């Protein structure tokens, strides 16, 4: 891996309850205590953000949110603004996760608006991109991923790229136990980085972190992290076990 600090995110999705979420966060805080060379973020469900913040506050673990709305405030029943997230200590937000795209129908255009506002509100924005199995089998992986990338970044200036992390998550690998091979993942990551060169410049591309996501586990993490353009992982299922998540963080620290 290059000089980029690896970033490991734990996306808890719609899992845990208040007590188990706080306990999971507490075990993660303890487990990563001595890991200095890696950034760690947990993304609990909205109702538990404040409670988890009280656990991770003053630790190395950052607090993230799984989504936000693209307007600052107003009549958007059931939605959450970036300012509200900041208010409760959130520093990072996932935008365009495949479940938001494919289960909840979020479009590239909506995602671009969310990216824009998340950055303006001072959040680290993790822009998630990835192809479905059908798209992969049709040979459209790069066309899909790079279009999602370009549209997602369409309002992002050069200076704002410092607040962006890209998560490449092939949809067919999320929650399925199937992982892209390190070579397959590396090849898509390299294309993402070279597209960032085209959109911005080489310097910005070299500084942008690109996480891999899709059934990352302690036993496949080391091979993935040894790839030149893989700068950590966005972890779903394995982030619900403090032992597994911590082992993935330690693998990134050692990479
Ligand atoms: C995710 O939710 O972003 C994810 C990658 O899930 P899993 O690790 O369970 O595949």
């Amino acid at each position: 891996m290059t000089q980029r600090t690896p970033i490991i995110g734990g996306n808890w999705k719609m899992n845990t309850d208040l007590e188990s979420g706080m306990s999971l966060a507490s075990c993660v805080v303890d487990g990563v205590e001595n890991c200095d060379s890696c950034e760690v973020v947990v993304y609990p469900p909205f109702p538990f953000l404040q409670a988890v913040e009280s656990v991770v506050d003053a630790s190395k673990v950052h607090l993230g949110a799984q989504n936000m709305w693209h307007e600052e405030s107003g009549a958007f029943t059931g939605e959450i603004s970036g300012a509200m997230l900041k208010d409760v200590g959130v520093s990072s937000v996932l935008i365009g996760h495949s479940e938001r795209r494919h289960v909840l129908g979020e479009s590239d255009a909506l995602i671009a608006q969310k990216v824009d506002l998340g950055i303006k509100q001072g959040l680290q924005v993790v822009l998630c991109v990835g192809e479905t199995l059908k798209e992969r089998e049709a040979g459209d992986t790069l066309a899909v991923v790079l279009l999602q990338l370009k549209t997602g970044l369409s309002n992002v200036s050069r200076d704002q790229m410092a607040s962006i992390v890209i998560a490449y998550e092939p949809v067919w690998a999320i929650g399925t136990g199937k992982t892209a091979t390190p070579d397959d993942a590396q090849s898509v990551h390299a294309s993402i980085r070279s597209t960032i060169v085209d959109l911005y410049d080489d310097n910005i591309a070299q500084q942008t972190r690109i996480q891999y996501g899709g059934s990352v586990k302690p036993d496949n993490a080391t091979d993935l992290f040894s790839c030149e353009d893989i700068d950590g992982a966005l972890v779903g299922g394995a982030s619900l076990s403090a032992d597994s998540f911590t082992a993935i963080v330690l693998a990134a620290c050692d990479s």
Side-chain angles (χ1 to χ4, degrees), residues 13-34:
K13 310 193 188 192
M14 201 173 74
N15 293 301
T16 73
D17 57 21
L18 180 59
E19 195 184 329
S20 64
M22 289 178 76
S23 154
L24 174 57
S26 171
C27 294
V28 170
V29 165
D30 291 346
V32 306
E33 198 184 355
N34 297 319

Side-chain angles (χ1 to χ4, degrees), residues 95-213:
I95 301 289
H97 188 276
S98 78
E99 287 142 22
R100 305 286 325 169
R101 290 177 187 270
H102 298 290
V103 181
L104 294 146
E106 291 194 2
S107 66
D108 279 341
L110 176 73
I111 289 162
Q113 286 179 280
K114 291 186 176 194
V115 169
D116 187 28
L117 193 58
I119 292 179
K120 285 190 180 132
Q121 296 195 315
L123 292 161
Q124 173 190 71
V125 169
V126 179
L127 170 62
C128 305
V129 296
E131 82 286 2
T132 62
L133 185 58
K134 200 169 160 207
E135 290 161 342
R136 169 162 281 248
E137 286 174 349
D140 291 337
T141 296
L142 286 185
V144 169
V145 167
L146 299 182
L147 180 64
Q148 290 173 345
L149 179 76
K150 287 178 193 164
T151 315
L153 295 180
S154 50
N155 302 316
V156 179
S157 70
R158 300 165 60 85
D159 289 348
Q160 290 173 332
M161 276 302 284
S163 304
I164 290 278
V165 173
I166 306 296
Y168 168 56
E169 301 201 293
V171 180
W172 49 270
I174 296 181
T176 59
K178 293 181 191 156
T179 318
T181 64
D183 284 351
D184 281 348
Q186 163 58 28
S187 149
V188 178
H189 281 231
S191 296
I192 290 173
R193 200 174 304 287
S194 95
T195 301
I196 298 174
V197 176
D198 296 342
L199 294 173
Y200 299 95
D201 62 33
D202 190 53
N203 190 33
I204 289 174
Q206 291 311 323
Q207 284 171 17
T208 303
R209 277 128 9 124
I210 308 172
Q211 299 174 294
Y212 170 78

